[in-house]
Amino acid sequence: MKVLVSGGAGYIGSHTVLALIASGHDVVVVDDFANSKPTVIARLETLAGRPIPVHAFDLTDVDKTERLFDAERFDAVVHFAGFKAVGESVENPLDYYTNNLGSTFSLLRAMARHDVRRLVFSSSATVYGDAPVPYREDHEPLTAANPYGWTKAMQEQVFRDVAPAHGLRIALLRYFNPVGAHPSGMIGEDPQGRPNNLMPFIAQVAVGRRPELEVFGDDYPTADGTCERDYIHVEDLARGHVAALEHLDAMVEPVRAFNLGGGVGTSVLELFHAFERAVGHELPYRVVGRRPGDLPAYWADTARAREELGWVAEKTIDDMCADTWRWQQQNPNGFPDA
Ligand code: UD1
């Protein structure tokens, strides 16, 4: 298939570009580089061994999106583009609603006009709110604890309404906690400023950019008192997109949600100690107060992805840490500017 990947220069998008090419698909990237660097593309071209066409514009621009679909004939779209920082979404909710919903509207319009019927969407386990664990795809209603999460829940609803009207087939991929990096160490997660998420923060402590990890609470009702999450290696996640794309035409309903997670919870301290093993020595940490809004523990029910997509997460927590560490060591300050 010829696949348009929106946000293809981002963390999960870039790994999925490689997985798509490895599975024999042709990829075209659209990315406005608002939260990624153009040097990602050069690395992808080296790893893929071929040029990757890139269109650098903001998808909320309806005219530019329309012109792209006029110029190229796509078989499918994998849609990653969007803002994703929880705290920022609370400070600038209008930016989040405008950007995340706007890009989806203009993509859907262009798809409907040009008869492109296949879409894979980057959703999040955040839409489960505080549903019973493990999270199952048939849980309702979807909810969210912040504007970022609401943009995901709202986009899912838009897809459910629009798909039947325009004959679309859409897979909603609900990610758990993506971590890790490409085993080459050439691409990985490159957060701008202070990392919000656990794994990039630990990696920056290990490389000496941060003095210590602050563990947000050790008085949760879990085995060691720290929060448990379902970490998934970004390479497994990328394969999940290929599996979903190739399954779209056979889906049991036009719009279907799939959890992409490993199905087990790992605590903050377990992940931290696994990272110490990858580095080969102890790292500094300190327990501080809880972060507002954090849930104690959640993980995925993985049955649907296994049974319908034939997909399971294969990489271990040690793989996730080893690959993150390789990426961080080779690129202590992330991707170069040029
Ligand atoms: C967060 C977002 C979620 C988003 C996901 C992926 C919140 C409340 N949730 O999930 O909506 O989809 O990222 O981007 O922000 N931790 C520390 N110290 C740190 C950082 C994190 O102890 O410096 C702990 C957290 O308290 C949490 C765990 O590590 O228990 C994982 O945190 P994080 O990586 O931010 O992911 P989530 O909170 O699960």
Side-chain angles (χ1 to χ4, degrees), residues 6 92 96 116 118 134-135 144 152 154 158 161 171 207 212 223 232-233 242 244 271 274 296 317 323 335:
S6 83
N92 307 316
Y96 271 67
V116 179
R118 300 185 190 91
Y135 291 166
K152 293 296 180 188
M154 287 178 182
V158 169
D161 292 336
V207 84
E212 62 184 357
I232 172 168
H233 196 295
V242 179
L271 189 74
I317 290 285
D323 290 337
F335 289 106

Side-chain angles (χ1 to χ4, degrees), residues 84 86 124-126 146 148 175-178 194-199 201 213-217 220 227-229 231 268 291-295 298:
K84 59 163 197 178
V86 171
S124 167
T126 196
N146 50 67
Y148 156 74
Y175 310 155
F176 282 70
N177 286 59
R194 185 188 166 90
N196 300 307
N197 298 117
L198 178 61
M199 184 69 118
F201 202 100
L213 174 70
E214 291 181 356
V215 173
F216 298 148
Y220 286 95
C227 295
E228 292 174 4
R229 295 288 181 273
Y231 296 95
V268 173
R291 182 172 68 179
D294 276 339
L295 294 167
Y298 62 83

